[in-house]
Structure formats: structure tokens, C-alpha cells
Amino acid sequence: TNPIETIVERQYIRDETKDLFRKNSGLTRMEDISECIREAEARLTMAEHYKNPYPRPVNLPKRSFSKKEGKKIGKAIQKMNEQSRPVYIRSTDDAVGKTN
């Protein structure tokens, strides 16, 4: 492993952890807290397995996007997309302004 990459990855892990802890510090509902812990555990497991701390890309299910530009997505397809989102990607969705 490259020592410079290791330093960058460690810094990413620290920054990401600090940001998410600060962002979620106001959570009070046990369901929300449990969901955040589940996401953290999933991200840790994936990072250890793939030896990479960055979120993995997500593949969309078949027929889950509109082929025509500007065409609206139907409710069934939208629901399928939401259900196919893995737990480890939720904080990334929030960072880019998406909602669950």
C-alpha cells in the first residue's frame, strides 16, 4: 500500500466520522439512531472487506430510469429506486441533497 494514500484515507475517515457525528448529534428517536448505527456498521464492514473507506457505487435495478430526457419517473419506479438504495449510502444521499 502507498503510504500517501493511507494518510489520505485516514484523514477521509476522520473527517467523514466527525461530519456525520455532528450532523446526527440532534437525533432523539431510537429508530433514527439505530438506522445511523446500522449505516455506520455497514460502511465499516464494506471498508474492511474492500480495503477502501470510500462509499461503493450503487447499481440501479433494470427499468428504473427514464430513457427519455425530461420524462417524469412514475411512483412505482421511484419506490423501486428507494427500496434498492443500500443502507450504507444514506449519508451520501443527504450530502448531495437527496431525501429518503
Side-chain angles (χ1 to χ4, degrees):
T1 54
N2 184 347
I4 294 173
E5 284 182 18
T6 303
I7 292 169
V8 170
E9 289 172 351
R10 285 181 180 175
Q11 188 61 46
Y12 169 79
I13 292 168
R14 283 188 203 110
D15 292 343
E16 185 76 3
T17 304
K18 285 178 188 177
D19 290 344
L20 290 175
F21 266 96
R22 286 185 182 127
K23 181 185 130 202
N24 297 323
S25 65
L27 294 179
T28 55
R29 290 184 44 221
M30 284 306 295
E31 295 85 19
D32 295 337
I33 295 169
S34 296
E35 197 64 30
C36 288
I37 291 171
R38 233 178 90 205
E39 178 186 354
E41 289 172 344
R43 288 182 71 174
L44 178 62
T45 301
M46 300 234 354
E48 288 173 340
H49 177 76
Y50 290 106
K51 312 246 184 294
N52 182 343
Y54 306 106
R56 304 277 305 158
V58 176
N59 295 319
L60 293 173
K62 291 181 180 180
R63 297 181 304 244
S64 67
F65 61 93
S66 173
K67 292 184 180 180
K68 294 181 182 176
E69 191 173 331
K71 184 178 175 185
K72 291 193 175 190
I73 297 174
K75 287 184 181 181
I77 290 175
Q78 192 171 14
K79 185 176 180 181
M80 180 175 34
N81 284 343
E82 289 172 6
Q83 289 175 341
S84 69
R85 303 292 296 169
V87 69
Y88 64 85
I89 206 80
R90 289 178 193 225
S91 59
T92 309
D93 286 347
D94 294 343
V96 292
K98 294 179 183 174
T99 57
N100 287 343

